[in-house]
């Protein structure tokens, strides 16, 4: 039998399966630490799973790999990838329960590199399956909501409570809610302020070509200032303002904390929104504007009813860029006392407590990813409506 | 206009080199920003060596991400790798949502503190603009040109090297430029995990409440970013001139 007669192997599935085998065989699935800051030691599957469970775990993963390599139906691939995710999550939950001595609050059971690699591989497999199904915007949002709900329920059920990251959460639970609110407030607040300023500025740049290069040049320049430096530089004038103007201090404007963070994020947010507004308005066909003018619409009416709605998808793309960028940059604001999830990240880095770092980093990534997905779906929806 | 740009460029280079060579000369400028007799110029390390370390990190990361991103883009735009294209696009999009600080923070438990996590974060963050632009560059090659190359009896390899890569070059360079400029700023965050670079100056300023440090660290990185951007634009223009349109 020649090689050609074999059914075609799925290249991505083969690659991911190989990665999965490496992760399972050579990398630690969970790591046992005597306390939260010491380096841990690896624990093998059989040390925390009974033989039958370990066997079925490996069997499920082998099945997933077989499907990934040989089956081309996207729905089947998605189903098996999700089954793999459930298996990996259950195994890590079981490890937490089995390896923690009752009542012990000091030792830490951390998911190891093998766990993360398996999870990423399965996630890629699922993402690829979803991409192949070409879901519409509504379906994508539904899938996102369902996976967030599933993950939330799994965490709320307490299955993972013995794992290191959830231990850190238990210690910081009231602070977690506060930093989450702060993170969202900083990211969305500065975005809202930026849109209020950038939209008219973009319209102005579109109407008066002479100022366009200057405005975009200055905004470009602001982008080259590193975020840490901009936060720091703004501390001085805001501190001086608070000292000189009593009501400014009453409003909460101070040299450290949220105020310099909001101002810096606002400044960074201007460029993408202004630039995209200009591009979006420039793309509106002159014929449409002419027709509206012929119908006797005023300039304001043309702007509100013709130009802005037609430019909206491009403007929204700019807003998506800003939102994702802001969610990431708010992290850095924690360095100047701005709060947000970055507080956990930098505190964790300072204490070399990596579980605390992850407690901050994972929500940031999830938040950025979800907002990107939601806004992408919205842009898609508008483009479809426009057609 | 071009003359004004040249003057500005020379002034920026002069300022950067002058500051790095003799920072103490600028002490009177920064002195009003300090309090209680704190030093106006960073004195816990040599600014020049910090700047060089900063640039070194940025360039190593950018070189690595250019190699990998262009290689990947070549793979997914060949007929044999076409089915990876939509997934790699999705991945590139997902990757872009990862904040660099998060990449940095996640890399630390894997490789420890210092230069390595910074390199990883910069590498990962630099991949995406280059990949996207290279794919766009290849897909923008006019089909007629590709057919002509095939008709001339070029092998796939010759076509890639002699036709597609040169045609895609301006877009590839634009991607590299984006990555470089983002990296210069992002590398400052690396100093929170003990990487050597100008971020050290900014963080020292934040910790000791010394605005002069923060400002000079920010100014130096900003200047380097602008000059790099400018140099890349000039390089792009020169290359564009040598490639017959």
């Amino acid at each position: 039998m020649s090689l050609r007669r074999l059914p075609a192997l799925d290249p991505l599935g083969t690659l991911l399966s190989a990665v999965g085998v490496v992760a399972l065989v050579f990398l630690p699935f969970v790591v046992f630490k005597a306390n939260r800051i010491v380096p841990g030691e690896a624990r093998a599957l059989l040390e925390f799973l009974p033989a039958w469970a370990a066997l079925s775990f490996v069997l499920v993963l082998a099945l997933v790999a077989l499907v990934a390599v040989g089956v081309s139906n996207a729905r089947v691939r998605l189903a098996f990838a999700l089954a793999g995710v459930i298996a990996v999550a259950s195994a890590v939950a079981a490890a937490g329960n089995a390896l923690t001595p009752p009542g012990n609050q000091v030792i830490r059971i951390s998911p190891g590199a093998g766990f993360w690699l398996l999870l990423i591989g399965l996630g890629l497999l699922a993402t690829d399956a979803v991409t192949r199904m070409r879901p519409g915007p509504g379906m994508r949002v539904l899938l996102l909501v369902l996976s967030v709900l599933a993950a939330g329920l799994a965490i709320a059920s307490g299955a993972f409570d013995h794992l290191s990251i959830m231990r850190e959460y238990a210690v910081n639970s009231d602070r977690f809610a506060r930093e989450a609110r702060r993170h969202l407030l900083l990211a969305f607040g500065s975005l809202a302020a930026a849109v209020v300023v950038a939209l008219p500025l973009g319209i102005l740049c579109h109407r008066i070509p002479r100022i366009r290069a200057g405005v975009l040049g200055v905004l470009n320049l602001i982008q080259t200032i590193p975020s840490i430096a901009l936060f720091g530089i703004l501390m001085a004038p805001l501190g001086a303002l608070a000292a000189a103007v009593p009501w400014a201090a009453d409003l909460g404007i101070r040299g450290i904390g949220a105020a310099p963070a909001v101002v810096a994020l606002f400044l960074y947010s201007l460029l993408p929104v202004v630039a995209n507004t200009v591009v979006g308005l420039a793309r509106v066909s002159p014929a449409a504007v002419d027709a509206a003018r012929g119908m006797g619409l005023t300039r304001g009416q043309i702007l509100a009813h013709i130009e802005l709605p037609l430019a909206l998808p491009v403007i929204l793309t700019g807003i998506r860029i800003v939102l994702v960028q802001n969610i990431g940059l708010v992290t850095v604001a924690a360095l100047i006392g701005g709060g947000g999830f970055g507080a956990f990240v930098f505190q964790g880095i300072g204490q070399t407590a990596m579980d605390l770092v992850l407690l901050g980093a994972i929500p940031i990534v999830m938040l950025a990813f979800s907002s990107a997905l939601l806004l992408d779906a919205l842009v898609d929806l508008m483009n479809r409506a426009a057609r | 206009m071009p003359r004004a740009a040249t003057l500005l460029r020379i002034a920026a280079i002069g300022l950067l080199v002058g500051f790095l060579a003799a920072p103490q000369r600028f002490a009177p400028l920064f002195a009003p920003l300090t309090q209680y007799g704190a030093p106006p110029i960073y004195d816990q390390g040599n600014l020049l060596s910090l700047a060089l370390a900063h640039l070194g990190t940025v360039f190593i990361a950018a070189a690595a991400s250019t190699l990998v991103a262009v290689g990947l883009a070549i793979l997914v735009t060949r007929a044999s790798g076409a089915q990876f294209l939509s997934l790699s696009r999705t991945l590139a999009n997902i990757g872009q949502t990862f904040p660099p600080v998060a990449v940095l923070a996640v890399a630390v438990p894997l490789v420890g503190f210092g230069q390595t996590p910074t390199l990883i974060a910069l590498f990962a963050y630099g991949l995406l603009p280059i990949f996207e632009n290279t794919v766009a560059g290849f897909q923008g090659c006019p089909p007629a040109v590709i057919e002509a190359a095939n008709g001339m009896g070029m092998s796939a390899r010759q076509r890639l090297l002699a036709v597609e890569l040169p045609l895609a070059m301006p877009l590839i360079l634009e991607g590299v430029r984006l990555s470089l400029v983002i990296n210069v700023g992002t590398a400052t965050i690396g100093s929170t995990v003990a990487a050597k670079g100008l971020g050290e100056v900014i963080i020292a300023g934040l910790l000791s409440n010394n605005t002069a440090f923060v400002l000079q660290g920010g100014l130096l990185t900003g200047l380097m970013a602008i000059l790099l951007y400018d140099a890349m634009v000039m390089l792009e223009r020169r290359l564009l001139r040598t490639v017959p349109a």
Side-chain angles (χ1 to χ4, degrees):
Chain A
M1 196 171 81
S2 77
L3 259 176
R4 257 181 223 152
R5 282 207 205 119
L6 281 171
L9 298 183
D10 185 90
L12 178 78
T14 314
L15 182 71
L16 289 179
S17 302
V19 170
V21 169
V22 170
L24 202 57
V25 176
F26 295 106
L27 293 172
F29 188 76
V30 290
V31 172
F32 180 94
K33 300 181 194 169
N35 64 50
R36 66 195 279 264
I37 55 173
V38 293
E41 45 195 273
R43 284 285 188 270
L45 275 182
L46 280 171
E47 285 179 75
F48 54 85
L49 287 180
W52 64 268
L55 193 67
S56 34
F57 173 65
V58 175
L59 226 60
V60 169
L61 288 184
L63 260 178
V64 177
L66 272 181
V67 168
V69 170
V71 178
S72 61
N73 183 316
R75 282 165 203 276
V76 176
R77 292 171 74 90
L78 180 62
F80 273 82
L82 293 181
V85 170
I86 293 172
V88 168
S90 321
V92 86
N97 296 336
L99 291 175
T100 310
N104 190 325
Q105 299 290 329
V106 180
I107 65 128
R108 289 282 192 270
I109 312 294
S110 296
F115 166 80
W116 291 116
L117 209 56
L118 280 174
L119 199 63
I120 291 170
L122 291 164
L124 284 182
L125 195 61
T127 311
D128 174 57
V130 172
T131 315
R132 289 186 195 188
M133 282 152 66
R134 298 179 194 282
M139 192 62 192
R140 292 208 299 268
V141 173
L142 185 69
L143 282 175
L144 174 72
V145 171
L146 283 181
S147 28
V148 168
L149 268 182
L153 279 178
I155 292 171
S157 74
F160 302 111
D161 279 359
H162 288 304
L163 290 177
S164 53
I165 302 173
M166 290 310 290
R167 277 283 172 81
E168 295 290 348
Y169 171 75
V171 176
N172 294 297
S173 58
D174 49 337
R175 240 185 90 204
F176 188 85
R178 200 169 64 232
E179 304 292 14
R181 271 199 304 277
R182 176 57 79 84
H183 203 102
L184 290 173
L185 196 70
L186 285 176
F188 283 90
S190 49
L191 170 70
V195 170
V196 168
V197 174
L199 217 51
L201 198 58
I203 295 170
L204 216 61
C205 284
H206 173 68
R207 289 278 165 86
I208 314 170
R210 258 186 310 132
I211 64 165
R212 196 180 300 158
V215 169
L216 290 178
V218 170
L219 295 182
N220 247 319
L221 217 63
I222 295 175
Q223 299 276 328
T224 65
I225 307 174
S227 48
I228 310 186
L230 190 54
F231 289 143
I233 292 168
L234 286 168
M235 287 163 73
L238 286 173
L241 182 72
V245 187
W247 59 262
D250 291 341
L251 278 176
I253 296 176
R254 261 172 299 140
I256 56 163
V262 169
V263 177
L265 292 175
F266 164 79
L267 290 174
Y268 283 130
S269 308
L270 288 177
L271 178 72
V273 183
V274 172
N276 277 42
T277 307
V278 172
V279 171
L281 288 176
R283 267 208 206 157
V284 173
S285 85
V289 178
D290 271 349
R293 200 172 290 142
M295 284 165 65
L297 265 65
T298 65
R299 279 187 85 171
Q301 284 171 327
I302 294 177
L303 184 68
H305 296 295
I306 310 286
E307 290 184 300
L308 278 183
L310 283 176
L312 200 55
V314 182
I315 299 176
L316 271 180
T317 313
I319 291 178
R320 170 204 187 276
I321 296 172
V322 168
L323 189 56
V324 171
Q325 177 183 299
N326 273 2
I327 290 173
L329 282 177
V330 172
T331 318
V332 183
L335 274 181
I336 53 161
F341 286 126
F344 295 126
V345 173
F346 288 116
Q347 202 183 341
I349 289 176
Q351 301 174 350
T352 66
M354 286 314 144
D355 302 317
L356 190 55
V357 170
L358 288 176
L359 181 67
I362 293 174
I364 297 169
V365 170
M366 291 298 138
L367 209 56
F369 179 61
S370 319
S371 356
L373 214 149
L374 281 177
L375 277 175
D376 275 343
L378 197 62
V379 172
D380 227 22
L381 214 60
M382 302 217 140
N383 278 331
R384 279 173 194 221
R387 244 180 267 140
Chain B
M1 238 353 227
R3 183 174 293 169
T6 313
L7 277 179
L8 266 180
R9 189 173 297 140
I10 292 171
I13 295 174
L15 190 62
L16 181 64
V17 172
F19 197 102
L20 289 177
Q24 288 304 334
R25 289 266 173 95
F26 292 78
L29 276 177
F30 287 99
L33 293 170
T34 60
Q35 288 172 313
Y36 316 118
I41 299 292
Y42 187 65
D43 56 356
Q44 291 152 35
N46 184 335
L47 278 179
L48 182 62
S49 72
L50 286 181
L52 288 179
H54 196 104
L55 274 183
T57 313
V58 167
F59 276 118
I60 293 172
S65 29
T66 306
L67 273 180
V68 174
V70 173
L72 275 180
I74 290 175
L75 274 183
V76 298
T77 46
R78 304 303 102 184
S80 53
Q83 52 175 317
F84 284 105
L85 182 60
S86 74
L87 177 74
S88 51
R89 274 267 168 82
T90 316
L91 276 187
N93 266 326
I94 296 176
Q96 208 114 49
T97 62
F98 266 68
V101 193
V103 180
L104 208 61
V106 174
V108 169
L110 297 176
V111 296
F113 286 88
Q115 210 81 357
T116 334
T118 315
L119 277 174
I120 292 177
L122 294 188
F123 164 74
Y125 220 62
L127 276 179
L128 313 164
I130 305 177
F131 175 78
E132 279 284 299
N133 273 32
T134 311
V135 169
F138 281 139
Q139 289 181 337
C141 289
V145 176
I146 307 285
E147 262 172 47
N150 288 341
M152 283 166 68
M154 281 188 172
S155 67
R157 196 186 133 90
Q158 283 172 326
R159 200 186 68 208
L160 173 70
L161 292 178
V163 179
E164 290 179 85
L165 266 180
L167 279 176
M169 198 47 89
L171 269 175
I172 298 179
L173 282 177
E174 193 190 300
V176 174
R177 183 185 66 193
L178 281 175
S179 289
L180 272 175
V181 172
I182 297 173
N183 278 359
V184 172
T186 312
T188 53
I189 300 174
S191 299
T192 56
V193 294
K196 211 165 166 259
L198 288 169
E200 214 177 295
V201 182
I202 301 173
I203 290 181
L206 287 176
L207 291 179
S208 61
N209 213 350
N210 186 339
T211 316
F213 285 5
V214 177
L215 194 64
Q216 58 200 262
L219 274 179
L220 285 174
T221 29
L223 264 179
M224 291 202 308
I226 293 168
L227 283 173
L228 265 180
Y229 179 95
D230 191 52
M232 286 299 291
V233 170
M234 288 208 293
L235 184 70
E236 283 163 42
R237 283 208 193 118
R238 177 151 304 176
L239 275 177
L240 213 57
R241 233 179 284 146
T242 53
V243 177

